[in-house]
Amino acid sequence: MASPSLAAAAASPLTSLDRATSPDTGSRPDGADAVARRKRPVLLLDQRQHLSSPNLDSSVDVDAAAAAAGVAQAQSETPRRKKPGHTSSSTRPRCQTALSVAAKNAVLLAVLLYVGDLAWRAARPAPPRPVDQAAMAGYDARVADVEASLARAFRMLQVQLEAVDRKIDGEVGAVRGELAALLEEKRLELEGQLKRLDARADDLSDALGALKRMEFLRKDEFDKFWNEVKESLGSGPGTEVDLDQVRALAREITMGEIEKHAADGIGRVDYAVASAGGKVVRHSDAYDAGKRGGFFSSLLSGDTAASPKKILQPSFGEPGQCFPLQGSSGFVEIKLRKGIVPDAITLEHVSKDVAYDMSTAPKDCRVSGWYQEAHNEAYSGHAASAKMYVLTEFTYDLDKKNVQTFDITAPDVGIINMVRLDFTSNHGSSALTCIYRIRVHGHEPVSPGMSVSQS
């Protein structure tokens, strides 16, 4: 931008130079000076005021300065009129004028260059500042520190999470162990209760079985029995029975039962008794009396004690008066005194009240029978035509009486004269099984035409 002082400088050298070069300056009268000052161009002063306005643009200032410089140069080159009667001063040298113009043009060029530089800087943004490597290094260091801090925080968080997981796993394992122990305890308790319930169920089943086996007197049977009692007492159906008469009848019945017991203990005919012709024809291996020791050696010594005939004779309840068979299973075959229709089998063992050891008593038994022809009485085995049939199966119970009778359960049993007793177990002894007495009950055929069983 052009300054107002530049225009003043452009005009002032000429005035000062004219004054310096004028030879008649000192001798010029005041009136001539006044005339000369009045001849100065007014346009230059107006141009100075115009150029000194700060509100104009730089381009307008430059043009005004150029115009002012041209006017000043034209006025300087115009020869001044000399007043008549005065001698004019020497004219301005051309070299000085050229230097003045060159100086002004240089100033104008400098102004133009300055304005162009400002315009160029305004049109083109400033180039980016060069990257500060030190600042970048510091920024990278701070970023690395932040990343390292985040990594440490992550590792600490991971360690804490692992610790929490281990703690949770430990607590869960402890709870699982406690729950498993509680479930096991409850399971064992439940199993114990179930076992006790099974035992009670077994006891109830046994009780029901015993109840079923008990022979209860039905109402019709009781009425029949009561009518027989009245008839025995000589009373009619509608008459009252005296208590003394009932007592006398009970005494009579009791005496009859005592006589039956005195007859053979149970008051039933035994077709296998040795004194009437029954005999043991075959049996399993007998327990060797020579190998016995202690109690059995003293009780069962000699041939008489080891004879199978003992099971067909009364034992009178004496411990040791039995026929011992080896092991916990065996058999005995008996030939009856004659052919009969069997009704029941009686198995006898020593009473538990006087027994030394009840483990030798037989337990699970099976009775079979068949008829053996007369020409085969010299029995050495089963005849080819003989067929054996199972008559009954039973279990000898130690909780009942020592003499136990079991009815024949096979239907339509004919005449038999051979009986076989098989026992498959006893009550605990693995060395021997003792049989005290076997009895076979039945009745003889009513007519010779009755069929003979081949069983």
Side-chain angles (χ1 to χ4, degrees), residues 247-325:
R247 289 176 180 173
L249 180 60
R251 187 179 300 108
E252 182 180 354
I253 293 174
T254 303
M255 292 304 295
E257 293 297 328
I258 292 175
E259 289 179 358
K260 285 183 180 180
H261 182 75
D264 199 11
I266 58 176
R268 301 182 71 169
V269 179
D270 181 14
Y271 288 92
V273 65
S275 60
K279 61 181 178 180
V280 177
V281 296
R282 199 159 76 100
H283 57 79
S284 60
D285 295 337
Y287 187 72
D288 191 357
K291 295 182 179 180
R292 300 173 193 170
F295 171 73
F296 286 104
S297 178
S298 61
L299 292 180
L300 302 177
S301 61
D303 296 336
T304 304
S307 174
K309 189 178 180 180
K310 296 291 293 183
I311 65 175
L312 303 180
Q313 295 175 346
S315 62
F316 301 105
E318 298 179 6
Q321 295 296 324
C322 67
F323 179 57
L325 297 175

